[in-house]
Every structure is written in C-alpha cells, then in structure tokens.
Amino acid sequence: MKVAFVMIDPMIGKRLHRAGGAIYALSSYLKDRNPYISGIDTKIFNFNSLYTGPLNLYISAIVDYKPDVIGFSTYCWNVEIVKNLIRSIRKLLPDATVILGGPEVSYNSEELMSDHKEIDLIIRGEGEITFNEVISHLYTNKELTGVSGITYRTKNGNVVQNADRPLHPVLDDFPSPFLNGTINLAESDGEVAYETVRGCKFRCSYCLHTKGMSHVREYSLERVEEELRLILLSPCVKIIWFLDPTFNAEEERALKVLEIIERYNPNMPLAFEIRADLLTDRLIEQFGRLNVAEVGIGLQSYSESANKHIHRKNNIEIIEEKLGKLKKAIAHSCEQFDIDLIYGLPGDLFENYKKSVDYILYLGGRIYYQPLRIFKGTQLYNDSEDYGIVFNGTAPYNVLSNSTYDMEQMVSSYCLNVGIDYINRGGIYNDIISAIKEAKQCAYSDILQLIGRYFWDKQAYDIFRVSNWTPDDRSDASVFDDFCQFLGSYMLKENNMDLSRKVREKIDGYLDMEKDISKSMYSQYGYFQLTI
Ligand code: B12
Ligand SMILES: C[S@@+](CC[C@H](N)C(=O)[O-])C[C@H]1O[C@@H](n2cnc3c(N)ncnc32)[C@H](O)[C@@H]1O
C-alpha cells in the first residue's frame, strides 16, 4: 500500500521545505506504530500555497507516485486549493482513498463530505492515532464502523460520523519525527517548525489554539532536550520556529527550554510567539543570551472593552516596561519585534484600532495587523450572530462588519492598513511621516490613513504589500510617483518648502530603492497575502 501525505504550506519565497508540523507527525506515528508497516510505503509532499502557476505540477507529482491513500492537511490558507486538487485527483486516481484532516475539516465534516463527493474520509481533531487506525483498517479491508474520530462515506454513499476520539493524554507516546528519522534535517531547507506543547491555557474566543482541549499537554523536558539537541547541533538548520501559542505562558518551563538551547547552541536563530505582560526579568535576561531573530507579541487591541468581548486582558501598564527591557536585551539579534493587532473585533470601533496602531508605533514595534477571522470550532463562530458579525464565506473568513464596526469603519481600517504597509516596507520614508506629524501636530495614524486613503481611491491598496512569488516587478511605480507629487504639493500648501523638496528627492530615488526594499522585506512579510 502506498500512502501520500500532502501539505500545502504557506511558505515564503524560496523556503521550499519547512521541517515539522502535521504531516511529519502523522507519518512518524504510522511508521513507528503500524503493524503492517512493512507492506506500506509513505511519501511526504510539502508544497507551497503561494505558488500561482498551474496546479498540474502538484497533481502530476502526486499521481506519479500512484498512492492508494492520500492524506491532505487542510488549513484556512490551503482549503480552497485542496478542494481544487482533489477534484482532479479523483478523476486521475479513481480508486485512491482521499482523506482530509486538519482544523479546516474538523468541525463541519458531514457538510463538507456532502458538498465534496471526492472526499472519502475526514479525520477530525488530533490525527496520529486515528489515521494509523484507519490505515490498518484499509490495509486489512475491515469496516470503519468502530474507528472513532472519523466521518466517512460508506459503500452505498452515505456519510457517517463516528464518535469523537478522546485526546491522548501523554504526548510523549507520539514518536518523535526528529528522533526516528521521519524528518531528515539534511534534506530540509533549514527551517524547523517545533512544538513543545499542544493547546493553550488562554481562552481568546477567536482562536483555535486550544484545539478544544481543556488543558495544555506538554512534551516532557527530557524529550524536548533530546529533540532540540539534534536540531541545534545540525549544521543544516538555519532557524527554529517555536509553534507554542504563548511560549512564555509558564515561566519555569520556558526558562528550562531556553537553557537547553543555550547549552547546545546559543547562536541558533529562534522565533517565538509570546505575551508581553507575562515577561519576567529572568526570562528577558535568558532571551538576551540567545539569538532571538523574531518575536511575535499578541496585543490584538488597545481597547479594554474589545478585549473583554474576546476574553482577553492586556495589562497595558506593564507592557511598555517589559517590552522596553526585552528590546534592549535582544537588540543584538532582533531589530524590531512584531505586535499583533486584530481589527473588526466585536465591541470595537475604528477609533480604537487607530489608538492601537499609535500605541504600537509609540512602543517601537512593527505592526502585524489582521482582520478578525471567524474559524469554525471557535467560540466566536458560535457567538457570531449575537455580535452581528458578517464574515466572508470562503477561507480565511475575514470579518466584513459587526454591530459596532460597520463597513465604513472597515474601509477606514483598510486605508490605515495601506499606511501601515508603507512604514512596514522598511522605514525608508519614515522621516517624511515624522516631519508631517510634527508639522501638523497630529497622530501617526492620521497620516497613515491619509496615505492609505490616497492609494485606496486609486485602487492600489496592495502597493506596499510584498508580493510573494515575484517580488521585483512592481507595475504600480507610477502610482507611487503620483503620490509623491501629491505629498509634495500638499506640503507646499502647508508652506513647508523643506518637506516638499525632500519628497521630490524621494521620487528621484524611488525606482532604485523599490527593488532593494522588495528584496529585504521578501522573507519577512510573505504571508500578508491573505490579509486585506
Ligand atoms: C505553524 C503555524 C503557522 C505557520 C505555517 C504552517 C507551517 N506549516 O509551518 C505560519 C506562521 C506561516 C502560519 C500562518 C498563519 N496561520 Co497558523 N498556525 C500554525 C500553528 C502555530 C501550528 C500548526 C502545526 O503545525 N501544529 C502542529 C501539528 C502537529 O498540529 P496540527 O496542525 O493541529 O495538526 C494535527 C491535526 O490538525 C491533524 N491533522 C492536520 N493535518 C492533517 C492531515 C491528515 C491527513 C490527517 C489525518 C490529520 C491532520 O492531525 C495533526 C496531528 O495531530 C497553528 C496553531 C497550533 N498550535 O496548531 C496555527 C494555525 C494553524 N494557524 C492559523 C491561522 C489562522 C494562520 C494565519 C491565517 C494567521 C492567523 N494567525 O490568523 C496565517 C495564514 C498563512 C497565510 N498564508 O496567510 C489557525 C488555522 C485556522 C484554520 N481554520 O485553518 C491556527 C489553528 C491558529 C489559530 N489562529 O487558531 N501558521
Ligand atoms: C499564536 S497567536 C499569538 C498568541 C499570543 N502569544 C497572544 O498573546 O495572543 C498568533 C496571532 O494570530 C492572530 N490570530 C489568531 N486567531 C485569529 C483570528 N481568528 N483572526 C485574526 N487573527 C487571529 C492573533 O493576532 C494572534 O496574536
């Protein structure tokens, strides 16, 4: 029997192979635990969701392998591509069993299977044990009636949803894909995606990180040390992305993981998701001893009332102090940290989003904005009607309005976002923004919105967003030139000759700079593509 695992990863640019994540975990379990493994061949297909060429390349690679079973890993960034792929694959491999798993199919499996006849089986929730059982049943031609955690199509075409599978309590029972050779670091492109826990202790109502679990399950520190040792000592690894939703949720444990890293390779570039208000001096100091390349910090909103509706509490008073210390401690390895904001939250207003933007700029962070997205399986999905939330019907389910954040405020947010893209593009023109701010005595966000509105009206709202597949060739240079003229004359009207001259100089250097900015930002903002 041949089993193919397919992940369409939102990989960025040349990153062709991110080692880690679902398909490796599933393959690792199957190889280690399946009693029939000697008769089973497996292959991992790790494709790029940002690829915009014909899907035939992916289809032909899968079909060429002639799999009997194909497992697709399905997330909001690839669900539409997966639906597209399976339509063709069904025709080319009519006898193959098409299995989908992942967060996009775990909460609406019956409906999906009714709408998409190409799907034979869906695995809901955590996949290791269930997938292994399904393969054994298929291998031995056994009925699937007793397998929990699946929704499947019977021979007469009915869709049957079996009972949920309780979560396996001990994560260490899942064989490590790093230690058993499922992941060959020498074949990867140097990026490792690594989890030390599953689940999240916070209950933010929009988020799926809890994965329906009432508590966080941890891998033992012994297992983490064994795996990290291998990863940290590998000359092929260029960065480790920690998948834990809030790396510093438990101080003692986080410190121990950081100490392991320090012991084996303090120079390894690292990326973390953290909460600023949970930082302690000990943690900051320990981060400072390492090579922290990227830090994502969840803020979501400056507004207390919006945070209340999404079951979050940000301690704004201490965030500034903690981030100031962190910035100093990791300055040698990380120029700027990213702070996450969500706009369109229930109970929120555009005015608050603007305040959040100004707050982050004041803190010296880089804004990572996203519209609120309503994922099946979250509390907000269930409560969306109560909040008057209207969201897009296709992934990634961006919110269009809610009862406090109407369409007009949404459009203002889109405009502000164009301005944020502008400064995120490398800060080349920030001197102009600062000068205007001083001249006009207004907030940064007022200017960013003015800039954004200009491009929005010209329908060039993605002018500063990094294009992922072909970063160099920008056709909207002339719109930017016009904009500089506009700013220049705006400044003249304000009687600010100096600024006007500065803007003119920028126009002259624009085209050359544009190329460099694209290149330097290419790797950092790749997955903005889904963001409007
Ligand atoms: C790593 C990660 C990313 C990486 C990319 C993924 C990668 N390959 O590395 C990056 C940073 C790029 C990313 C980006 C985004 N992400 Co993200 N990300 C994650 C994260 C932290 C880990 C995923 C992971 O690999 N986990 C480890 C594996 C082992 O667990 P798993 O994914 O749950 O898989 C298990 C089951 O789902 C199932 N399963 C999965 N696939 C399959 C396939 C088969 C065949 C079977 C049988 C079973 C199965 O079995 C697996 C093992 O038990 C998750 C949250 C989390 N902690 O899981 C969010 C998560 C997947 N991301 C999410 C989102 C929304 C995003 C963004 C839109 C940004 C955002 N936060 O709003 C962007 C979109 C990217 C784009 N193009 O625009 C959501 C997905 C919601 C959804 N319905 O799809 C999650 C769940 C977090 C959340 N916000 O709630 N993300
Ligand atoms: C792993 S979470 C960050 C957790 C972080 N440590 C915190 O304190 O929130 C990554 C980011 O994804 C974004 N995110 C998650 N779910 C989202 C959703 N449904 N809609 C929009 N953004 C979302 C949030 O901005 C969040 O900060």
Side-chain angles (χ1 to χ4, degrees):
M1 178 189 263
K2 281 187 175 180
V3 179
F5 294 96
V6 182
M7 165 59 122
I8 298 169
D9 196 312
M11 283 184 291
I12 300 156
K14 289 200 197 97
R15 297 172 179 181
L16 294 174
H17 187 125
R18 193 194 301 259
I23 49 176
Y24 296 93
L26 295 162
S27 174
S28 164
Y29 195 91
L30 188 74
K31 282 206 243 172
D32 211 83
R33 299 294 158 84
N34 195 286
Y36 311 105
I37 194 66
S38 58
I40 299 173
D41 187 59
T42 61
K43 188 165 173 149
I44 284 176
F45 294 88
N46 201 346
F47 296 136
N48 188 334
S49 75
L50 303 181
Y51 169 67
T52 52
L55 284 179
N56 300 7
L57 280 184
Y58 295 171
I59 295 169
S60 60
I62 298 169
V63 171
D64 195 41
Y65 177 59
K66 299 189 183 63
D68 303 291
V69 180
I70 317 168
F72 289 90
S73 212
T74 321
Y75 298 85
C76 62
W77 57 77
N78 67 21
V79 59
E80 295 307 322
I81 305 176
V82 168
K83 286 179 190 165
N84 198 337
L85 277 181
I86 57 177
R87 273 196 289 274
S88 307
I89 284 187
R90 179 80 296 162
K91 289 179 200 148
L92 294 161
L93 297 170
D95 298 325
T97 305
V98 171
I99 300 181
L100 267 55
E104 268 302 305
V105 297
S106 289
Y107 308 96
N108 57 340
S109 55
E110 281 182 300
E111 185 192 328
L112 267 170
M113 289 195 59
S114 305
D115 292 351
H116 300 277
K117 304 280 182 243
E118 304 82 12
I119 309 172
D120 295 308
L121 195 150
I122 283 178
I123 285 173
R124 309 191 305 273
E126 192 159 85
E128 282 88 345
I129 301 176
T130 317
F131 188 74
N132 186 42
E133 259 184 55
V134 166
I135 294 296
S136 294
H137 278 64
L138 294 176
Y139 193 84
T140 52
N141 274 320
K142 265 207 322 239
E143 290 289 325
L144 292 162
T145 32
V147 181
S148 50
I150 65 168
T151 305
Y152 67 105
R153 205 180 298 283
T154 60
K155 288 202 179 82
N156 55 19
N158 293 337
V159 173
V160 175
Q161 176 161 332
N162 288 357
D164 288 345
R165 177 178 294 272
L167 284 172
H168 186 73
V170 185
L171 282 186
D172 278 8
D173 288 346
F174 295 165
S176 161
F178 293 99
L179 300 175
N180 71 6
T182 303
I183 294 175
N184 179 352
L185 292 172
E187 280 174 8
S188 80
D189 281 343
E191 295 217 2
V192 169
Y194 184 69
E195 58 175 7
T196 82
V197 298
R198 282 192 186 175
C200 179
K201 73 173 186 183
F202 301 107
R203 289 286 174 269
C204 310
S205 61
Y206 52 81
C207 188
L208 265 182
H209 274 274
T210 53
K211 301 181 172 178
M213 300 168 199
S214 58
H215 65 289
V216 178
R217 286 170 304 156
E218 298 171 341
Y219 289 96
S220 70
L221 284 168
E222 291 72 34
R223 153 105 170 227
V224 169
E225 175 154 9
E226 249 189 286
E227 291 181 324
L228 278 181
R229 189 171 148 269
L230 184 87
I231 298 166
L232 288 161
L233 295 180
S234 162
C236 307
V237 177
K238 297 192 196 102
I239 186 163
I240 308 176
W241 296 83
F242 282 81
L243 303 183
D244 305 356
T246 301
F247 181 77
N248 61 333
E250 301 296 336
E251 186 201 15
E252 285 304 326
R253 187 176 158 90
L255 275 171
K256 286 190 180 127
V257 176
L258 296 180
E259 278 159 21
I260 293 173
I261 298 169
E262 189 182 12
R263 193 148 57 243
Y264 293 106
N265 184 358
N267 297 320
M268 173 65 75
L270 309 164
F272 299 102
E273 289 279 349
I274 61 162
R275 270 186 84 125
D277 40 9
L278 296 181
L279 281 168
T280 60
D281 286 349
R282 286 200 304 160
L283 265 173
I284 292 173
E285 203 184 299
Q286 188 61 33
F287 275 129
R289 282 205 275 273
L290 301 172
N291 184 1
V292 178
E294 292 196 26
V295 199
I297 296 156
L299 182 73
Q300 319 318 349
S301 175
Y302 182 74
S303 148
E304 218 173 282
S305 81
N307 276 315
K308 217 181 271 165
H309 286 290
I310 52 171
H311 303 170
R312 276 183 72 94
K313 190 159 172 41
N314 287 325
N315 193 338
I316 296 287
E317 288 76 44
I318 62 172
I319 287 179
E320 186 179 346
E321 176 210 329
K322 305 272 184 185
L323 284 186
K325 285 183 178 170
L326 180 70
K327 199 172 183 176
K328 256 197 218 141
I330 62 172
H332 60 281
S333 55
C334 180
E335 245 173 67
Q336 214 177 15
F337 35 71
D338 292 309
I339 304 187
D340 300 337
L341 280 188
I342 305 181
Y343 61 96
L345 288 169
D348 212 358
L349 294 167
F350 173 65
E351 272 314 303
N352 292 332
Y353 180 47
K354 251 175 113 253
K355 275 192 201 138
S356 307
V357 166
D358 284 316
Y359 179 62
I360 296 184
L361 293 175
Y362 164 75
L363 293 175
R366 187 167 44 202
I367 299 162
Y368 185 94
Y369 65 81
Q370 304 188 62
L372 175 62
R373 292 169 173 144
I374 305 295
F375 297 120
K376 284 165 230 91
T378 60
Q379 194 191 329
L380 210 46
Y381 181 86
N382 300 333
D383 297 347
S384 58
E385 271 182 31
D386 300 347
Y387 287 113
I389 292 175
V390 180
F391 61 97
N392 207 310
T394 42
Y397 319 109
N398 290 355
V399 161
L400 300 168
S401 68
N402 72 44
S403 41
T404 56
Y405 218 103
D406 58 18
M407 205 60 215
E408 206 182 316
Q409 295 181 71
M410 271 295 178
V411 171
S412 300
S413 313
Y414 301 150
C415 293
L416 179 52
N417 294 342
V418 180
I420 297 170
D421 290 347
Y422 175 85
I423 51 171
N424 277 347
R425 282 297 291 274
I428 306 252
Y429 309 103
N430 281 3
D431 48 349
I432 295 178
I433 310 246
S434 300
I436 300 176
K437 179 177 179 287
E438 232 157 77
K440 299 283 293 177
Q441 289 288 303
C442 59
Y444 264 121
S445 57
D446 291 324
I447 305 155
L448 298 185
Q449 208 189 338
L450 178 90
I451 292 172
R453 176 66 68 174
Y454 180 87
F455 289 108
W456 181 261
D457 290 345
K458 297 222 169 316
Q459 295 189 10
Y461 46 79
D462 60 353
I463 185 166
F464 301 114
R465 213 169 300 152
V466 177
S467 125
N468 298 295
W469 197 248
T470 50
D472 300 321
D473 172 25
R474 299 200 66 88
S475 54
D476 33 27
S478 64
V479 183
F480 189 84
D481 284 354
D482 290 349
F483 170 66
C484 291
Q485 304 276 10
F486 158 78
L487 261 191
S489 49
Y490 177 77
M491 288 298 112
L492 269 182
K493 255 201 309 216
E494 297 288 319
N495 264 336
N496 195 329
M497 296 297 287
D498 258 10
L499 263 182
S500 171
R501 207 171 304 119
K502 251 185 170 173
V503 172
R504 297 306 300 240
E505 281 163 23
K506 293 290 177 192
I507 304 173
D508 296 339
Y510 168 62
L511 279 175
D512 282 347
M513 268 188 265
E514 180 66 9
K515 272 205 155 149
D516 293 342
I517 307 165
S518 297
K519 275 187 197 135
S520 67
M521 295 299 290
Y522 186 30
S523 61
Q524 293 183 30
Y525 281 91
Y527 50 91
F528 266 10
Q529 92 155 1
L530 282 178
T531 308
I532 285 206

